[in-house]
Amino acid sequence: MEEPNWPIVNEEDLWKFVGWHLANKGIHSVLVGGAVVAIYSKGAYRSGDLDLVEPLLAKQTEIKSTMESIGFNKVNRHYVHPKCPHLYIEFVSAPVSIGDDYRIIPDEKEFKGKILKILSPTDCIKDRLASFIHFKARECLDQALLVAKSQNFNLQKVQEWCLNESSSGKEAFDEFIKLYKK
């Protein structure tokens, strides 16, 4: 597998490079967080990091070995590449969840013979709305809208999730839908 152009690599290309190498070693991580927004918004949003969830804690030794084999070093909780100062990798705690919902089934994308996993556009929107609901993070509402306006997603599932997530979920959904329809 060819290395990316490190000084200008984007979230999607870095995910494919790292994800392919992890999958090649039997590590089936799921891409979550802001990098998913960057991918689905075609770069309109840039995250600065890739958050990967590996469901099996037993894989930590294999993760470290694989990441080191492709040039990453572990610095505190992040994996950094000396030729890629603008993006780093973090493995976040399992399970894959969005707010209180742990029944997440990621999308699977085939890349050079390996299956890479990523939140679906619908789940990405719910993930961003979770931060808007729970932390009043307005930028996350904006990120949800970027994904909604550039991807096909299930509006009904987003609405149902918002209404079940929190007493302020209806308010958040109403704001989201008002801006989405503009």
Side-chain angles (χ1 to χ4, degrees), residues 31-150:
L31 184 65
V32 300
V36 179
V37 176
I39 291 169
Y40 288 147
S41 71
K42 309 272 189 271
Y45 172 78
R46 299 300 305 262
S47 72
D49 73 327
L50 280 73
D51 295 319
L52 294 168
V53 176
E54 167 49 56
L56 301 175
L57 287 175
K59 296 275 187 183
Q60 292 305 313
T61 302
E62 290 98 330
I63 289 170
K64 187 173 190 295
S65 172
T66 302
M67 295 300 287
E68 288 174 349
S69 77
I70 57 175
F72 284 83
N73 299 304
K74 191 162 188 185
V75 179
N76 298 316
R77 66 179 201 264
H78 303 125
Y79 283 92
V80 296
H81 195 286
K83 296 178 184 174
C84 183
H86 61 287
L87 289 172
Y88 60 88
I89 311 281
E90 182 174 356
F91 288 87
V92 294
S93 299
V96 175
S97 64
I98 300 169
D100 291 331
D101 186 1
Y102 294 91
R103 299 162 296 149
I104 309 304
I105 299 170
D107 278 358
E108 295 184 348
K109 310 286 184 186
E110 189 276 331
F111 178 69
K112 297 193 178 201
K114 302 295 176 195
I115 298 297
L116 306 183
K117 296 180 182 185
I118 184 172
L119 287 181
S120 69
T122 300
D123 285 338
C124 177
I125 291 166
K126 293 187 308 188
D127 176 61
R128 300 291 89 187
L129 289 175
S131 292
F132 179 58
I133 291 168
H134 296 293
F135 307 113
K136 305 297 180 228
R138 181 74 188 191
E139 68 276 9
C140 290
L141 173 61
D142 296 338
Q143 293 165 25
L145 288 163
L146 280 173
V147 174
K149 291 184 178 193
S150 62

Side-chain angles (χ1 to χ4, degrees), residues 5 8 13 17 26 38 63 73 82 96 123 150 162 171 173 178:
N5 185 347
I8 61 167
D13 291 339
F17 178 75
I63 289 170
N73 299 304
V96 175
D123 285 338
S150 62
C162 285
E171 212 175 280
F173 180 78
K178 178 182 82 176

